[in-house]
Amino acid sequence: MKILVINCGSSSLKYQLIDMENEEVLAKGLVERIGIEGARIKHETIGKDKKTIETPMQDHKKALELVMDSLTNAEYGAIASLDEIGAVGHRVVHGGEDFADSVIIDEKVLKAIEDNVEIAPLHNPPNIMGIKACEKLLPNVKQVAVFDTAFHQTMPEASYIYALPYEYYEKYKVRRYGFHGTSHKYITNRAAEMLGKDVNEVNLITCHLGNGSSICAVENGKSIDTSMGFTPLEGLAMGTRSGDLDPAIIPFIMEKEKLDPAEMNNVLNKKSGVLGISGVSSDFRDLESASEENNHRASLALDIFEKRVRGYIGSYMTELDDVDAIIFTAGVGENSIEMRESICEGLKIFGVEIDKERNNVRGEDKVISSDNSKIKVLVVPTNEELMIARDTQQLVEK
Ligand code: ADP
């Protein structure tokens, strides 16, 4: 079966067509600037030349029409007709408390995703647009929603209730949901395979360190705690997101800088994190170069990032009875040799020992701890698209 995986952002759309027979990517692409000037689609059928087309696209439906045209194009496409698409898997950011697993989309499901817009106003609306557009373009094809939050629905109450008046949970659904669930689930499964253990018996601390970052405590293959919260803002210091801070700072700065709630939200999401600290960049490669040139604030940003990661790992060590492995994934986790080394240096107290030579690796599955390390350390490149495609296939073949 061939599965189309769709990930819609507010003005962008990423897609992959995956042949599930051998889990091979047949084609992939990115549509950018939907609804704004300069809209374009970058399409690549594996084994053929890449193609970029610039053309106005007023909405996600128009963007998806171009995706379908590119996939079936005689010269640079991957399939002869849309009939070859067996199912569509959609990344949906927020499933709230309604979805603990992926699900085939019907009217009831769509309504539940719409109801969750209140708690995910930035993320769910583009996901809904993508689903509705696909329903129109591929009316006879089953569509599946795969939620960023679903993997974390196994968290116990003590992990997800905030120390706020309990009625805010009851009235407004304010609780920890956690995100990056598709990635944490994928690397949990892959790490279990690498460790030669049943996934239901594996205890892990999974570190998804990218532009957005989160850490997850996995007990017997299930999420029991994670660093992102009600929104993807909580937890680690990220590229541009603040992560944890004293909540009293927020009204203080709003008053001083005369910011309204939307402006303050923008500061916390777009102007903070390692970008805010360093004033240099949100990209860890830039920070590492600046730090080498003795830029104090770039070094400080890297130190703060590393300290927070270590802090969460330490905290999750105390939540898990024993830990089989710590896993690094995503842009920074897969590629930054220095960052992995400095995080693990600080975990010596737990008997974690990294092997410098094994750690000299980017973007491939590998055990990087020494043979003496009490806890294994692994690099596992994430693959959220494949996870979405697997869930989709499983549901439509049921
Ligand atoms: P997103 O959250 O956008 O999916 P990614 O997981 O792709 O993010 O991670 C992007 C981040 O990975 C960027 O900030 C970049 O700095 C970092 N990164 C990529 N390659 C390297 C590298 N070789 N060394 C350090 N950081 C890297």
Side-chain angles (χ1 to χ4, degrees):
M1 179 187 295
K2 294 183 181 103
I3 290 177
L4 180 62
V5 176
I6 306 265
N7 180 356
C8 280
S10 56
S11 66
S12 70
L13 185 167
K14 284 188 225 161
Y15 63 95
Q16 278 193 10
L17 183 69
I18 303 178
D19 187 349
M20 295 311 286
E21 203 117 312
N22 44 13
E23 296 193 332
E24 229 172 71
V25 177
L26 299 173
K28 60 183 176 181
L30 168 67
V31 188
E32 293 170 300
R33 304 181 64 86
I34 301 169
I36 31 189
E37 207 187 314
R40 60 177 171 252
I41 175 169
K42 291 180 188 164
H43 173 87
E44 181 185 6
T45 292
I46 307 307
K48 294 186 181 176
D49 287 343
K50 289 181 193 168
K51 184 91 190 164
T52 301
I53 304 167
E54 236 182 90
T55 172
M57 292 175 227
Q58 69 274 30
D59 56 20
H60 286 69
K61 178 159 175 286
K62 183 74 197 160
L64 271 165
E65 277 172 19
L66 284 161
V67 171
M68 306 296 173
D69 287 348
S70 301
L71 287 170
T72 52
N73 185 282
E75 179 198 337
Y76 52 84
I79 46 177
S81 99
L82 293 180
D83 295 341
E84 288 185 45
I85 299 176
V88 182
H90 292 269
R91 176 201 184 202
V92 180
V93 172
H94 218 310
E97 289 188 323
D98 298 307
F99 302 102
D101 218 332
S102 303
V103 61
I104 293 187
I105 300 170
D106 58 18
E107 245 170 72
K108 240 174 89 190
V109 168
L110 195 57
K111 165 85 174 48
I113 298 172
E114 282 170 336
D115 288 346
N116 281 316
V117 165
E118 200 183 1
I119 51 174
L122 298 177
H123 296 105
N124 278 18
N127 300 154
I128 294 165
M129 285 190 270
I131 292 168
K132 287 189 170 165
C134 268
E135 279 178 344
K136 289 213 178 85
L137 296 167
L138 301 168
N140 301 317
V141 175
K142 282 208 173 99
Q143 305 202 49
V144 168
V146 179
F147 301 92
D148 275 18
T149 49
F151 184 64
H152 302 298
Q153 278 294 303
T154 46
M155 284 190 290
E157 257 183 319
S159 293
Y160 71 72
I161 293 293
Y162 287 110
L164 285 168
Y166 192 79
E167 69 200 67
Y168 296 157
Y169 168 54
E170 295 171 312
K171 284 205 294 200
Y172 309 121
K173 300 183 184 173
V174 171
R175 51 158 284 177
R176 176 184 310 286
Y177 291 98
F179 298 86
H180 288 147
T182 312
S183 174
H184 289 294
K185 181 175 167 183
Y186 175 83
I187 58 172
T188 294
N189 283 308
R190 181 71 195 114
E193 261 173 36
M194 288 168 70
L195 296 166
K197 286 190 95 164
D198 187 311
V199 69
N200 298 312
E201 287 173 4
V202 81
N203 284 2
L204 307 169
I205 297 174
T206 53
C207 307
H208 178 112
L209 311 179
N211 219 341
S213 298
S214 70
I215 304 198
C216 181
V218 175
E219 185 174 65
N220 298 323
K222 297 193 167 56
S223 168
I224 60 157
D225 208 348
T226 191
S227 59
M228 282 180 169
F230 176 61
T231 73
L233 181 58
E234 196 184 354
L236 302 170
M238 307 179 211
T240 61
R241 288 175 236 170
S242 66
D244 300 333
L245 56 125
D246 180 345
I249 295 169
I250 295 166
F252 178 81
I253 295 291
M254 286 173 76
E255 213 174 311
K256 289 280 178 203
E257 297 270 316
K258 311 238 172 326
L259 302 178
D260 66 23
E263 289 166 335
M264 188 68 224
N265 213 15
N266 191 48
V267 170
L268 295 168
N269 276 289
K270 304 263 170 72
K271 297 184 175 169
S272 303
V274 293
L275 168 70
I277 301 165
S278 68
V280 171
S281 171
S282 63
D283 191 304
F284 283 73
R285 286 164 291 201
D286 299 339
L287 294 172
E288 285 173 4
S289 314
S291 171
E292 273 164 31
E293 285 160 18
N294 299 318
N295 181 311
H296 169 68
R297 276 169 53 192
S299 307
L300 181 63
L302 292 169
D303 286 349
I304 292 170
F305 179 83
E306 179 261 313
K307 180 176 183 295
R308 293 256 186 111
V309 172
R310 195 156 31 88
Y312 270 98
I313 294 175
S315 159
Y316 292 164
M317 290 276 190
T318 68
E319 289 190 41
L320 294 160
D321 280 343
D322 64 277
V323 178
D324 295 301
I326 296 166
I327 322 293
F328 287 105
T329 196
V332 180
E334 291 167 29
N335 296 302
S336 178
I337 295 163
E338 297 83 356
M339 185 52 75
R340 286 195 304 256
E341 188 180 323
S342 60
I343 292 167
C344 292
E345 269 297 301
L347 297 171
K348 276 191 180 143
I349 190 160
F350 299 107
V352 172
E353 193 182 279
I354 209 162
D355 179 311
K356 284 193 184 181
E357 225 159 87
R358 290 180 189 167
N359 185 39
N360 193 9
V361 66
R362 294 186 207 276
E364 59 181 87
D365 288 339
K366 193 159 173 204
V367 176
I368 57 165
S369 45
S370 74
D371 295 338
N372 295 325
S373 186
K374 284 205 185 118
I375 298 172
K376 288 204 165 90
V377 183
L378 273 58
V379 174
V380 178
T382 194
N383 194 338
E384 287 163 282
E385 291 78 13
L386 181 57
M387 193 70 246
I388 292 172
R390 283 181 184 165
D391 273 9
T392 301
Q393 181 185 32
Q394 213 183 13
L395 280 167
V396 298
E397 282 184 348
K398 241 187 204 170

